[in-house]
Structures are given as C-alpha cells and as structure tokens.
Amino acid sequence: MKALVKTKLGPDCMAYLDRPEPIPGPDDLKVKVFACGICGTDIHLMHDEYPSNPPIITGHEFSGVVAEAGANVTDFRPGDRIVTLTAVDTCEECEWCRQGLRMLCPERKSVGSGCDGGFAEYVVIPAKHAFRLPDSVSLKTAALCEPLACVCRSVCERTTIKAGDFVLVAGAGVMGQLTAQVVMANGGVVIMTGLQNDKERFAMAKDLGVFETVYVDEGDPLARIQALTGGMGVQVAFECSGAAASAKFCLDALMKTGQYTQVAIPGKPIPFDMDLALYKEITISNSYASERTSWLIALRLLEKKLIRIDPLASAVLPLSEWEEGFRRTIEKTGFKILLMPHPEDLEKDV
C-alpha cells in the first residue's frame, strides 16, 4: 500500500512510499482510511519540532471504515465508520493511565508519531480506542474530529466558561475556528483576533456566529477589545496560533482574575510575562491533545448539531499530492487540507 512516511530525523525526511499492508491482531481493527487531515503538528514533526519514532507512517487526524476486525473484537464489524483516540499505546499501569490521562503516560505512543498513522491506505488500531460515528456525521466531517476533540479538552475540560463571558480566541485558523464554535456552544461571546490577511477567515468566523473580529496589526486592537467589553477586558483568552506576540496580546486583553488557556503548540519556547500574569491574578491553563472524554464531547456536539465544522474542510487532495497539501498548510491557504489515500473516494462524502 502507499503511505506518507517520515523516514528519518533531519531534512528531506518525508517520502511517499510503498509499505506492507498492516495485519490486525486479535484485539485490533484494520481500518480503510477515508481521509486524513494535515495538522500543524505534522509540520512540526517534519521539522523535528515534535517527537517522533521514524521510520513512521505519519498522520493522526483520520476517519475510516473497518475493513477487518480481530478475533476478540465484539463491538465493531466490517463496514462500521470510525475515528480513533490518538494515544493508542500506553503502559496502562502508571498513575496517569489509571486516571484516564493517557496523553500524560511517560510511555505513550500516539498514531502518526509513535506508531503508524493515517496517511496510508490502511491503518491498524486497538478496537478499544475506536469510536463509532453517529449516522448524521459524514466521514469527511469526521476527519476533523481529532482537532475538535483537542479543542473540547481545552474549552470544556480545562477552562471554565460562564454564559455571557467575553472570550478572546486568538488566531483565525482551524484551531481558532473550532475553539470559537465550542466556546459559543458553552455560552461564551467570542471575539476573534487575527491579521489583515485573515479577511476570508474572519468572514468564515462571522458566518459561524462569532460576535466580533479584531485585526491585531491595524489601529489599536487592545483599545478595540476594551471598547467591546465595556472597558473590562475579556474573561477568558484562548491562544490558538502558537505565536509569542499572540500570547502577549491575550495576556494584555484579559481582565483581572481572567483565564488564559494555551491551545496551540508553539513548537519552540516563547517568552511570557509572568509578572503581569501575577499582578492581574490570571489563571493559566493548557491542554495536551485529547482524552477519551474529550472525544465523547466532540462527537455529541456533532451529533446534536450544536456546532458546524464542515466548512473548515476547505480542500481535498489525493495522498500522492501531499507536498502540495503541506505547502498550503504552511502558507495558511484555506483551512483544513484533507489527504485521501484511495482515489475512488475523492468524490464521496459518506
């Protein structure tokens, strides 16, 4: 089968190769991948800014259909449409695993970085970590479930939002758009910030229900935030771009006793004014990917149509055109780029 492989550490590490088709164990599912989204983490991984275990098939934001179920599997059968938890291989014995915090396990291996992932025709995953898709959720939409689950971890499980809170979402990309949607589902009033080249992204945000958008590279954006919030500042700020300047703006825009949550992975150390955070008594939080509970929230939001994420899948390309997809992601052209390993599925939305 064809797959996108990180072959080594260092430059020129990504290659579109033939790999053996995986064989499921008795407790596994062999999944025919429908679509796999390109994530900012995939770019970090390519540049050795995120840990990986090469040679490894990359990709972790995927949806698919069960092609084969292991002998011990009773909950799934061929034809079931599924998505999967990312942290599929952990020790199961440490305190973090016992608490259900699999991403914090010191022996964790995640799909696409520690073990083979979804930029391939087929992938094998443990059946116990799969989620069956609601009938109302298409496989194309489901390819965005992983980033949505990460956002649900940040917004619903690691931050407190009260109905009517002014909430700053810094960054107009996919993670910012998803964060805005989940914040609004929790009753927050969203102000999104971005750059002047985010005009089309701001238009999408407004269409999805964002209260107001503010360009941070035009005029006095902090004064604009103050005006929108009656001079108080925002109660909550989610940093969704991974940029140092964005983190600083979030801290400046927060009211005293506000909450700061880091969503994006910067990929490198960034400075942060801890003195100002202390003087304002800011509560600082973050989230590392997602846990099982996060996926359950994400799928429920989709099933009950409390959020709209379909418009964020802005381009679909064959897996063989991964270089073009990565280029668009790096240049921030559009929103989520999906790669599809089976050419016959390109025109489907099932």
Side-chain angles (χ1 to χ4, degrees):
M1 68 173 186
K2 292 292 187 180
L4 178 58
V5 180
K6 181 176 173 68
T7 60
K8 60 179 182 177
L9 299 176
D12 302 319
C13 62
M14 304 296 289
Y16 182 62
L17 302 173
D18 284 309
R19 290 292 297 268
E21 202 167 294
I23 300 172
D27 300 309
D28 296 333
L29 300 176
K30 178 181 177 181
V31 179
K32 178 186 177 184
V33 176
F34 180 80
C36 187
I38 302 173
C39 175
T41 303
D42 295 317
I43 307 303
H44 289 315
L45 185 144
M46 179 174 67
H47 294 147
D48 297 332
E49 297 169 347
Y50 188 85
S52 63
N53 185 31
I56 195 83
I57 297 174
T58 54
H60 59 279
E61 299 182 357
F62 65 90
S63 62
V65 177
V66 175
E68 184 180 345
N72 296 337
V73 177
T74 58
D75 294 339
F76 296 92
R77 61 184 182 182
D80 285 345
R81 304 175 317 126
I82 63 97
V83 288
T84 179
L85 191 71
T86 312
V88 294
D89 186 358
T90 64
C91 74
E92 308 292 349
E93 297 179 354
C94 70
E95 184 63 24
W96 311 116
C97 286
R98 290 172 180 173
Q99 291 185 30
L101 301 174
R102 302 178 61 84
M103 283 300 298
L104 302 184
C105 174
E107 298 182 25
R108 171 189 56 83
K109 294 181 181 178
S110 293
V111 288
S113 56
C115 52
D116 285 338
F119 285 141
E121 294 180 49
Y122 294 92
V123 63
V124 164
I125 61 167
K128 65 181 179 180
H129 297 319
F131 300 90
R132 186 178 286 101
L133 291 177
D135 292 339
S136 59
V137 179
S138 73
L139 281 168
K140 182 179 177 182
T141 299
L144 280 79
C145 278
E146 194 278 337
L148 176 60
C150 293
V151 164
C152 289
R153 179 74 178 152
S154 293
V155 176
C156 304
E157 299 183 289
R158 298 283 291 165
T159 311
T160 300
I161 297 173
K162 299 187 294 293
D165 278 353
F166 284 110
V167 179
L168 174 63
V169 174
V174 171
M175 295 306 285
Q177 302 284 345
L178 291 174
T179 298
Q181 287 274 292
V182 179
V183 167
M184 288 186 289
N186 278 267
V189 179
V190 175
I191 302 170
M192 179 178 285
T193 57
L195 304 173
Q196 291 187 59
N197 59 7
D198 285 323
K199 182 177 180 180
E200 292 184 4
R201 294 181 172 194
F202 274 3
M204 173 70 75
K206 294 288 282 187
D207 183 61
L208 292 173
V210 164
F211 167 62
E212 193 56 88
T213 56
V214 175
Y215 292 111
V216 295
D217 54 350
E218 178 182 78
D220 188 342
L222 193 57
R224 178 68 174 142
I225 297 291
Q226 292 292 313
L228 290 168
T229 59
M232 291 293 293
V234 297
Q235 281 94 345
V236 184
F238 291 96
E239 202 296 295
C240 301
S241 72
S246 179
K248 182 180 185 305
F249 187 84
C250 286
L251 188 54
D252 289 340
L254 277 164
M255 66 181 291
K256 294 177 181 180
T257 71
Q259 300 175 76
Y260 175 103
T261 300
Q262 185 66 38
V263 178
I265 298 176
K268 56 185 177 298
I270 62 172
F272 192 81
D273 190 344
M274 292 300 294
D275 277 348
L276 180 57
L278 184 150
Y279 299 150
K280 296 176 76 170
E281 290 197 351
I282 299 302
T283 299
I284 302 171
S285 186
N286 50 46
S287 62
Y288 187 20
S290 59
E291 301 293 352
R292 185 170 186 86
T293 49
S294 321
W295 284 82
L296 295 175
I297 295 169
L299 290 168
R300 191 156 56 245
L301 289 173
L302 289 173
E303 181 181 22
K304 302 305 180 185
K305 301 186 184 304
L306 296 174
I307 60 174
R308 294 168 51 206
I309 66 173
D310 297 67
L312 301 180
S314 58
V316 177
L317 299 172
L319 180 60
S320 59
E321 296 182 19
W322 70 271
E323 290 177 290
E324 172 64 12
F326 273 47
R327 181 191 67 79
R328 294 190 196 181
T329 301
I330 292 169
E331 295 177 358
K332 300 181 179 179
T333 303
F335 289 101
K336 181 62 68 176
I337 310 297
L338 302 182
L339 298 180
M340 301 185 68
H342 298 275
E344 68 273 17
D345 289 339
L346 280 169
E347 301 303 321
K348 297 179 182 178
D349 185 19
V350 293

